[in-house]
Amino acid sequence: MLKNKLQAEVKIRSNRFSKISFCLLLFTFTFATACRYDMQDQPKYKSYKEMKDGIGSRSPVDGTVFRNNLREDKALYTGKTEVGANEVQQTTVDSKGNTVITSFPGAVEAFPIAITEKTVERGEQRFKVFCGVCHGRLGNGDGMLIRRGFSAPPTYHDDRLRNAPVGHFYDVISNGWGKMNGYASQIPVEDRWAIVAYIRALQISQNPNGMKPVITKPTETAVTKTTPEAKITEVKNVASVNSNVTQKGGKK
């Protein structure tokens, strides 16, 4: 009996020692691997973090030439010219409670890109993705969000916007206005101008006799050497081949 008790006691102590040894080994292993700070604490520069010399983000070397980001063409990238760009826009409140712009200082009148059938088709596709949900299929301000209770934007087909310069639409797409956020981070420059071209096509399709001449940037192409009347005819033709640009009353 005594022998059995001694054997049981030895077995218990042996198991206890084994557990303690295992815990010590695990602790030693964990401590040894967790205390290697030489990699994460090595001296290095971090963006926008203060360093010994006070600079974390370095300035470009003198003489650096920007590539694909210089944006010298102000009309293309901003929709504005130098003349009048700093003037204050005049605004008023329409019948729907929207604060609308009534003057367009500095906005370019001419498209800075060539307007082709392909451009308008691209603009239609992008318009449906980003704009139609609020502005509606024809630009009447009756998109699906409006039907669900969101406040309606102004229609593209009043005299104010039919006669607004193209630079105004580009500026609003880029920077937003009122309840509309800017889309500069989502829509590339060329696509923004394509959307403006499609808006012009929509306006012509809904009011073909009340539009100003569509002006494009002077180039060596035959299109831009035609008269303003011929340019209107060209944009009408572009709109007519687009199956989704409709007259009031439904699809063709």
Side-chain angles (χ1 to χ4, degrees):
M1 181 70 85
L2 181 59
K3 183 178 179 180
N4 291 337
K5 288 184 178 180
L6 288 175
Q7 288 178 344
E9 184 69 21
V10 169
K11 186 175 181 180
I12 293 173
R13 290 185 180 183
S14 177
N15 290 338
R16 187 179 301 168
F17 178 80
S18 297
K19 291 180 180 179
I20 294 174
S21 299
F22 176 79
C23 291
L24 289 174
L25 181 62
L26 180 62
F27 176 80
T28 302
F29 177 79
T30 304
F31 182 82
T33 56
C35 291
R36 290 186 57 84
Y37 293 110
D38 54 325
M39 292 295 290
Q40 53 267 40
D41 286 347
Q42 62 181 312
K44 58 183 176 292
Y45 290 106
K46 294 182 180 179
S47 299
Y48 309 112
K49 296 292 185 180
E50 186 176 353
M51 308 303 290
K52 291 181 179 179
D53 57 3
I55 302 175
S57 298
R58 300 291 178 176
S59 301
V61 177
D62 291 340
T64 298
V65 178
F66 287 93
R67 178 176 294 178
N68 299 328
N69 198 32
L70 193 55
R71 302 199 169 194
E72 290 183 297
D73 191 338
K74 184 176 178 66
L76 176 64
Y77 288 102
T78 67
K80 293 182 177 292
T81 63
E82 298 293 345
V83 179
N86 295 323
E87 295 181 14
V88 178
Q89 295 173 324
Q90 297 178 4
T91 62
T92 187
V93 179
D94 65 7
S95 59
K96 298 178 181 179
N98 296 308
T99 301
V100 296
I101 302 171
T102 56
S103 67
F104 312 96
V108 298
E109 296 276 353
F111 282 95
I113 63 172
I115 303 302
T116 64
E117 180 180 340
K118 185 177 180 180
T119 304
V120 178
E121 289 176 349
R122 175 65 177 175
E124 177 192 10
Q125 195 269 340
R126 296 288 88 186
F127 181 91
K128 289 179 177 179
V129 171
F130 292 102
C131 312
V133 67
C134 284
H135 290 279
R137 186 168 59 91
L138 297 178
N140 290 316
D142 58 353
M144 191 57 65
L145 282 182
I146 310 309
R147 300 176 192 179
R148 296 292 185 270
F150 198 77
S151 56
T155 175
Y156 291 141
H157 307 299
D158 61 11
D159 290 337
R160 180 182 66 88
L161 289 181
R162 275 199 298 262
N163 295 308
V166 294
H168 165 69
F169 296 98
Y170 179 87
D171 180 47
V172 172
I173 294 172
S174 301
N175 303 307
W177 177 261
K179 296 181 178 69
M180 174 181 164
N181 294 323
Y183 285 85
S185 63
Q186 298 171 268
I187 308 177
V189 171
E190 291 77 9
D191 283 351
R192 282 176 250 166
W193 283 114
I195 290 173
V196 177
Y198 181 68
I199 291 173
R200 274 290 187 249
L202 281 176
Q203 290 173 323
I204 292 173
S205 73
Q206 301 304 300
N207 190 46
N209 299 318
M211 290 295 300
K212 293 197 308 180
V214 175
I215 306 172
T216 56
K217 186 176 181 180
T219 66
E220 295 302 320
T221 62
V223 172
T224 55
K225 289 183 178 180
T226 56
T227 63
E229 291 77 12
K231 290 173 186 175
I232 294 177
T233 302
E234 182 200 9
V235 175
K236 287 181 182 178
N237 292 336
V238 170
S240 67
V241 300
N242 190 333
S243 61
N244 289 313
V245 177
T246 64
Q247 299 288 341
K248 289 181 178 177
K251 284 189 173 182
K252 291 183 179 179

